[in-house]
Amino acid sequence: MSFIGALLGYGSGFAAGLGCGFLAALRSRSIRRSDPAPPLERPPAARDTQEAALGAVAQATQQALLRPMSGELGDVGFAARYLPAAANVLVGGDLFNVALTPYGLRVLVGDVRGHDLEAARLAAITIGCFRDHAATTPDLVALTGILNAGLAAELDAEGFVTAVLAEFAPGEVRLVNCGHPAPLRVGDLLEPLAPDEPGLPLGLDPTPRRQRFRLAANERLLLYTDGLIEALDAQGAPFPLDARVRAALTRPALDDALEELHALLMSHTAGPLPDDLALLLCQPDVRTVLPSFPTLRGPGERTGEHA
């Protein structure tokens, strides 16, 4: 299964076991829902116990899939964080992944509609499909089409996944954006690298278009989910992408940069995050700088060109 491929790609047998149990439980529930014969009614306590067990497995699986990571692949340094919303009862659908391919480092950041077990399942499928095909699909637009096709069979009529895919090449980054917040180029300024036209999310048959942007060795790229820009303060003002954010994101160590961004965000909301948040900060030709705190460590100008 693509989900198991995603888990094994992280090198965690524990996560694989959790994932198998999680998907098996969800599949079992789906089969029972589609059974034309009326099911036997379970006592409320039994239902609550099963839901709690499924939620615990889903949370553990998601933590294994989206654990903090940082490192360097293909001369591109990166650091990633998944910050769950405290208000979430179960799990969310934010996701990220990185893959070193013959075409350069490719990264994926996405957000599944919803905040439940189904959203977690779809996030895992998206990650698995990306890992299965990122290294064997030469064209980034074609890879986006594969992700869309893989999700189309899994989504219901109202489901979708916003996503942005990035491919790093010398001096530039190539982006395909499917209805997702624009990545930020971090240099002398914070510059949103938005598509010329808004695209549809995965699952809604988007027409993906590739764009190329300059990305110098002293510049970084921040990919994120909407939990960043939709975080509100007590007066209802959104989190500002201002000079303080730029200063945070230019800290020497990529891990420290994300930690300081997180601190700014928590100060702005003065409480738990209202939504899940995935962050992925990348820098080409980086010389790894050790962070100033313990962390888990793992492995430009628009041209207007379209693919």
Side-chain angles (χ1 to χ4, degrees), residues 101-132:
T101 78
Y103 322 107
L105 180 69
R106 286 176 168 176
V107 305
L108 165 71
V109 171
D111 188 358
V112 180
R113 180 180 183 272
H115 300 86
D116 53 17
L117 292 170
E118 179 65 7
R121 184 183 77 90
L122 292 169
I125 289 173
T126 306
I127 290 173
C129 189
F130 173 75
R131 292 193 66 88
D132 285 347

Side-chain angles (χ1 to χ4, degrees), residues 6-188:
L7 292 168
L8 294 178
Y10 276 98
S12 172
F14 171 68
L18 287 173
C20 286
F22 178 37
L23 284 185
L26 285 177
R27 186 177 296 108
S28 173
R29 295 175 70 201
S30 176
I31 291 172
R32 285 197 297 271
R33 284 198 301 267
S34 61
D35 192 339
L40 294 175
E41 187 68 23
R42 289 173 297 152
R47 289 197 300 271
D48 293 343
T49 299
Q50 184 186 42
E51 293 296 329
L54 285 173
V57 171
Q59 283 181 317
T61 302
Q62 189 167 49
Q63 288 170 3
L65 281 170
L66 299 176
R67 72 186 189 277
M69 62 179 183
S70 60
E72 186 176 342
L73 290 173
D75 296 324
V76 178
F78 66 89
R81 295 289 185 277
Y82 171 68
L83 307 173
N88 271 0
V89 176
L90 294 174
V91 288
D94 289 20
L95 60 101
F96 60 76
N97 207 257
V98 300
L100 183 59
T101 78
Y103 322 107
L105 180 69
R106 286 176 168 176
V107 305
L108 165 71
V109 171
D111 188 358
V112 180
R113 180 180 183 272
H115 300 86
D116 53 17
L117 292 170
E118 179 65 7
R121 184 183 77 90
L122 292 169
I125 289 173
T126 306
I127 290 173
C129 189
F130 173 75
R131 292 193 66 88
D132 285 347
H133 298 282
T136 57
T137 307
D139 184 69
L140 200 61
V141 171
L143 176 59
T144 306
I146 291 172
L147 292 178
N148 179 72
L151 283 166
E154 301 287 343
L155 293 166
D156 60 27
E158 298 180 351
F160 59 82
V161 181
T162 69
V164 60
L165 290 90
E167 177 182 274
F168 292 86
E172 70 176 26
V173 63
R174 302 153 188 167
L175 299 176
V176 174
N177 193 318
C178 297
H180 198 79
L184 287 177
R185 181 169 54 193
V186 184
D188 293 334

Side-chain angles (χ1 to χ4, degrees), residues 185-211:
R185 181 169 54 193
V186 184
D188 293 334
L189 302 170
L190 291 180
E191 302 173 82
L193 303 185
D196 292 333
E197 298 178 3
L200 291 174
L202 298 174
L204 299 182
D205 294 326
T207 304
R209 305 180 73 180
R210 187 190 69 166
Q211 289 186 287

